[in-house]
Amino acid sequence: MEIIVCIKQVPGTTEVKIDPATNTLIREGVESIINPFDTYALEEGLRMKERWGGKVTTITMGPPQAEKALREAIAMGIDEGVLLSDRAFAGADTLATSYALFRAIEKIGSYDLIICGKQTMDGDTGQVGPELAERLGTPFVTYVKKVEEVNDGHIKVERMIEDGYEVVEMPLPGLITVVKEINEPRLPSLRGMMKAKSAEITIWTASDLGVDTSKVGLAGSPTQVVRIFAPERSRKSEILQGDVSSQVDQLVKKLREAKIV
Amino acid sequence: MGIKVILDKCTGCKLCLKSCPYNAISISEKKAVIGSSCTLCGFCVEACKLEAIVIEKEEAKAADIADYSGVWVFAEQRWGRIAPVVYELLGEGRKLADALETRLSAALLGENVKEKASDLITHGADEVYLVESKFLESYLDDAYSRVIVDMVREHKPSILLMGATAIGRSLAPKVAAMLETGLTADCTALEIDTEKKLLLQTRPAFGGNIMATIICPNRRPQIATVRPRVMKRASRNEKKRGEIIEKKMKPEDLSSRTRVLDFVEDLTEKVKLEEADIIVSGGRGLGGPENFKLVEELADVLEAAVGASRATVDAGWIPYSHQVGQTGKTVCPKLYIACGISGAIQHLAGMQTSDVIVAVNKDPEAPIFQVATYGIVGDLFEVIPALTAKFKEMLGG
């Protein structure tokens, strides 16, 4: 199987806060990591390769530093890494991101399955996977928690929904987005880390992809962020005092007064 | 095009440096320098007190957006039951439509769902576009997206809202890509900029630590998925009249490449987390899987759903479907009772918008107390059973 895993490098924490006094953002100095959901996508790609043979390529779009994420993926066992990096790609929303990835995957050529994490930790949208599938003209299944089998040009997966899961069959080539429950990502091996050090990373710019720059990056993004602010924290906290029975009585009384129970 | 530091205005104060989530800014000779890891996220623009950083975007030529009007709600249903979020979308959609002085419409797709159309009208829809077919009986990305895109091209709504559910979050991006328009995920507030007639879409990002307001100025429709249980449900008005417009689709246009072979209901969840008014959640403080019964007993008395922290799920104490937080489910019930949960930022991201939060934890320094409405510092093995007994007595169970 030819598998392509799409990953994103994200800040290693979501702990960005706004200083209420100055209304400015405060960020703890942190390292960039592979989006946690994407590590499940990488692991699933590796497991499928181990079971059905083939090759796993990973692709990311980001600044030159995102190369580190690709090397981490190679250390896990991924065969090849492709970095899409160009100032023209910056500021992309999900639609523009899906376009750049689409053109890169076209350039790679053949594939059987594309795997994405269910969403990223910084944007939390979960939109790039389905948008990419649509641009490629392939079917997709979101929120996959298990790959049951690959057989006769079809893949059978379990898709998590609100009240259980569906068993879905999809013809290949196709795209899946995966949830955390699907596996436990492996740690990089020593051999993998050695390989990652010297691995050659393919870097493609906008002109390598031959893209119309009005369709990528900020220019190709129909959505715009007009305001960023701290969420309201109007909640007043009250620590209930007294012994257990008094604490419980106070709490029940308050919840009752608020007509919650 | 791009980001620029206006050197005359920049004083090298470093506020932008601190704000950058991507470590892309450095200070050189008392001026901010924006490096190659910049993603144009705009945080520094907001942070700068001196308006010294600007992001310039060439305004794309507005497409024929003047032709688009009306607010549409996708009336998600499964097995003939309208998803609860649809009534919330109708409530919110009505407000938006009134602000724009336009119509509110619902798109209802399924098999034998016609009787639900009048329900959508009494909840605020001026008209319901109804498409019935046995190929639409259960949700499939291909068939549903084709119907929606077809109708959007024909009727040109300015705004299209869907629930941020498993279905909505698959359908919306497919539709947005087919129409090459903008999509904002998981909105928690919607508003109309009446002057520009634009939809202001506000959503949490970075795990709920930042709110961002997003617009889609030059493409139509403006599509948003909306987080369930945030907007107020539309009230019912039996006198409300509306039109049901039936539309036929050719069966060959309703084929789907994916097939649903089976549905397996999660029976460990007596009450669904996403729909629950009350959630009782357990964390590592429970000490072991056997003690989840304390949480379950309290949940039973309150007819609540059972939630869990990531630590307990990772330890195998309870299935993943119960996990609340960044890598689990996002919930906002009327009441969230956290038992023995310390309140890691990733957990808070999944529940901090709950109306009332009660925290029971023996560590007074636990971060959960910072978001709690009411906190009890104490031993959960005493507090939770006492609470269960008290509610049982009160509710006559």
Side-chain angles (χ1 to χ4, degrees):
Chain A
M1 281 188 88
E2 301 269 327
I3 298 169
I4 297 172
V5 181
C6 300
I7 66 172
K8 185 183 182 189
Q9 193 180 50
V10 298
T13 177
T14 56
E15 205 149 353
V16 276
K17 286 182 186 155
I18 292 183
D19 183 332
T22 59
N23 201 30
T24 54
L25 287 135
I26 314 161
R27 181 191 48 79
E28 311 296 321
V30 282
E31 248 193 300
S32 294
I33 57 166
I34 297 177
N35 174 43
F37 288 110
D38 299 344
T39 61
Y40 305 108
L42 289 166
E43 176 64 31
E44 201 56 27
L46 291 171
R47 288 187 189 191
M48 291 182 73
K49 177 190 162 183
E50 283 156 9
R51 207 162 144 195
W52 290 291
K55 181 182 165 194
V56 190
T57 305
T58 185
I59 173 168
T60 192
M61 185 176 94
Q65 294 87 317
E67 186 187 312
K68 181 170 157 270
L70 294 175
R71 292 198 189 277
E72 284 167 27
I74 291 168
M76 279 174 76
I78 299 294
D79 298 296
E80 215 175 292
V82 177
L83 171 63
L84 312 182
S85 197
D86 195 310
R87 288 298 299 157
F89 295 145
D93 71 358
T94 62
L95 194 75
T97 302
S98 71
Y99 183 74
L101 291 172
F102 153 61
R103 292 299 296 263
I105 289 169
E106 268 195 333
K107 192 175 163 86
I108 290 171
S110 68
Y111 65 91
D112 298 298
L113 183 68
I114 298 168
I115 313 178
C116 304
K118 78 156 184 170
Q119 65 194 48
T120 59
M121 204 172 75
D122 52 354
D124 286 330
T125 76
Q127 292 171 182
V128 171
E131 288 181 335
L132 171 60
E134 179 52 37
R135 291 192 181 276
L136 288 160
T138 64
F140 65 91
V141 184
T142 50
Y143 306 120
V144 170
K145 72 178 190 83
K146 190 179 178 189
V147 173
E148 286 189 355
E149 57 179 41
V150 177
N151 212 334
D152 200 19
H154 284 72
I155 187 170
K156 202 157 109 186
V157 298
E158 292 176 5
R159 170 175 196 254
M160 228 179 125
I161 55 177
E162 283 82 2
D163 51 359
Y165 68 87
E166 293 173 333
V167 181
V168 184
E169 189 185 66
M170 173 175 74
L172 297 174
L175 180 148
I176 58 173
T177 74
V178 301
V179 298
K180 173 191 160 188
E181 202 187 10
I182 196 163
N183 59 43
E184 185 68 47
R186 70 194 64 191
L187 293 169
S189 67
L190 197 59
R191 224 179 97 217
M193 287 192 276
M194 297 300 287
K195 191 184 157 209
K197 243 184 192 167
S198 58
E200 205 158 305
I201 303 286
T202 307
I203 301 174
W204 285 338
T205 62
S207 68
D208 291 329
L209 296 182
V211 295
D212 174 352
T213 49
S214 72
K215 291 187 104 172
V216 296
L218 194 65
S221 300
T223 61
Q224 290 175 16
V225 177
V226 287
R227 187 173 162 234
I228 294 168
F229 57 100
E232 271 176 53
R233 294 261 190 272
S234 55
R235 203 187 298 282
K236 272 191 295 187
S237 278
E238 185 183 348
I239 300 291
L240 305 175
Q241 306 296 331
D243 62 8
V244 170
S245 95
S246 144
Q247 287 170 322
V248 165
D249 286 350
Q250 290 173 62
L251 178 62
V252 171
K253 189 162 167 263
K254 285 174 190 297
L255 295 178
R256 227 181 161 163
E257 278 165 6
K259 294 197 165 58
I260 288 169
V261 291
Chain B
M1 172 65 58
I3 190 160
K4 209 165 69 181
V5 178
I6 301 168
L7 296 177
D8 291 347
K9 290 187 182 174
C10 178
T11 59
C13 75
K14 296 187 185 169
L15 277 177
C16 55
L17 197 91
K18 288 181 198 151
S19 78
C20 177
Y22 301 95
N23 279 329
I25 307 179
S26 55
I27 303 287
S28 168
E29 294 175 15
K30 295 207 168 166
K31 301 288 173 198
V33 178
I34 295 170
S36 60
S37 55
C38 170
T39 68
L40 301 180
C41 73
F43 277 19
C44 56
V45 177
E46 294 282 328
C48 181
K49 294 272 169 219
L50 304 161
E51 296 179 350
I53 307 179
V54 288
I55 293 180
E56 290 168 339
K57 178 170 175 164
E58 287 162 37
E59 283 302 313
K61 220 182 257 164
D64 50 342
I65 61 173
D67 297 347
Y68 287 77
S69 71
V71 178
W72 277 38
V73 166
F74 169 64
E76 174 181 336
Q77 58 84 23
R78 277 173 71 210
W79 299 303
R81 180 180 172 248
I82 301 285
V85 69
V86 172
Y87 298 103
E88 296 156 22
L89 296 179
L90 287 171
E92 192 65 18
R94 184 74 260 166
K95 280 190 240 161
L96 302 176
D98 291 347
L100 286 164
E101 297 172 346
T102 180
R103 292 165 78 77
L104 174 66
S105 314
L108 177 61
L109 285 61
E111 166 80 330
N112 297 325
V113 290
K114 192 172 178 179
E115 59 179 76
K116 295 288 169 193
S118 50
D119 192 36
L120 299 170
I121 289 168
T122 52
H123 283 92
D126 296 314
E127 58 206 2
V128 177
Y129 291 94
L130 172 71
V131 186
E132 289 190 301
S133 161
K134 67 174 193 285
F135 298 106
L136 298 171
E137 186 173 8
S138 58
Y139 172 78
L140 286 165
D141 295 308
D142 285 340
Y144 270 62
S145 62
R146 212 166 298 131
V147 175
I148 296 290
V149 166
D150 230 53
M151 292 202 288
V152 165
R153 290 205 169 118
E154 187 182 340
H155 300 285
K156 301 192 186 314
S158 176
I159 294 171
L160 172 58
L161 306 177
M162 303 191 193
T165 59
I167 287 177
R169 291 188 78 170
S170 290
L171 178 62
K174 182 161 167 71
V175 166
M178 288 166 86
L179 294 166
E180 296 233 11
T181 188
L183 169 61
T184 307
D186 210 20
C187 296
T188 53
L190 297 172
E191 218 181 319
I192 297 292
D193 175 337
T194 41
E195 194 183 318
K196 295 181 183 150
K197 306 250 179 220
L198 279 176
L199 180 64
L200 301 173
Q201 309 159 87
T202 299
R203 66 181 301 268
F206 283 89
N209 288 297
I210 294 291
M211 303 300 289
T213 301
I214 291 165
I215 56 168
C216 175
N218 301 321
R219 311 261 181 106
R220 290 294 177 271
Q222 307 161 80
I223 312 182
T225 61
V226 175
R227 183 178 289 190
R229 305 188 56 83
V230 175
M231 310 291 182
K232 207 164 161 254
R233 207 183 140 94
S235 51
R236 196 182 168 86
N237 175 4
E238 290 299 339
K239 290 191 192 122
K240 175 92 172 66
R241 292 284 166 266
E243 203 181 341
I244 299 172
I245 302 153
E246 284 190 61
K247 191 180 154 69
K248 289 271 169 270
M249 294 281 292
K250 290 189 210 129
E252 59 264 35
D253 289 334
L254 296 176
S255 63
S256 284
R257 291 167 292 184
T258 52
R259 282 200 304 151
V260 176
L261 306 176
D262 198 6
F263 167 67
V264 181
E265 196 174 357
D266 182 353
L267 297 172
T268 65
E269 270 188 280
K270 286 184 209 156
V271 185
K272 312 299 168 217
L273 271 177
E274 293 92 337
E275 293 178 14
D277 280 334
I278 304 178
I279 293 172
V280 186
S281 268
R284 209 172 354 208
L286 289 170
E290 64 284 358
N291 294 326
F292 249 100
K293 72 170 189 295
L294 293 177
V295 170
E296 283 157 12
E297 283 162 5
L298 178 55
D300 277 348
V301 174
L302 295 169
E303 292 176 13
V306 172
S309 70
R310 175 178 169 167
T312 62
V313 172
D314 285 353
W317 297 358
I318 186 162
Y320 172 62
S321 58
H322 293 268
Q323 187 183 320
V324 172
Q326 190 153 61
T327 53
K329 290 176 178 168
T330 302
V331 297
C332 39
K334 288 187 187 142
L335 173 61
Y336 188 93
I337 304 180
C339 313
I341 293 177
S342 63
I345 188 89
Q346 290 81 359
H347 187 76
L348 302 185
M351 45 64 75
Q352 62 191 357
T353 55
S354 306
D355 292 353
V356 171
I357 296 169
V358 172
V360 180
N361 201 299
K362 65 175 192 292
D363 175 10
E365 302 296 319
I368 191 77
F369 287 118
Q370 287 168 22
V371 300
T373 325
Y374 304 114
I376 296 181
V377 178
D379 182 357
L380 70 91
F381 295 99
E382 285 177 40
V383 177
I384 302 304
L387 206 51
T388 306
K390 182 83 189 170
F391 278 124
K392 215 180 230 172
E393 179 192 313
M394 189 184 101
L395 300 165

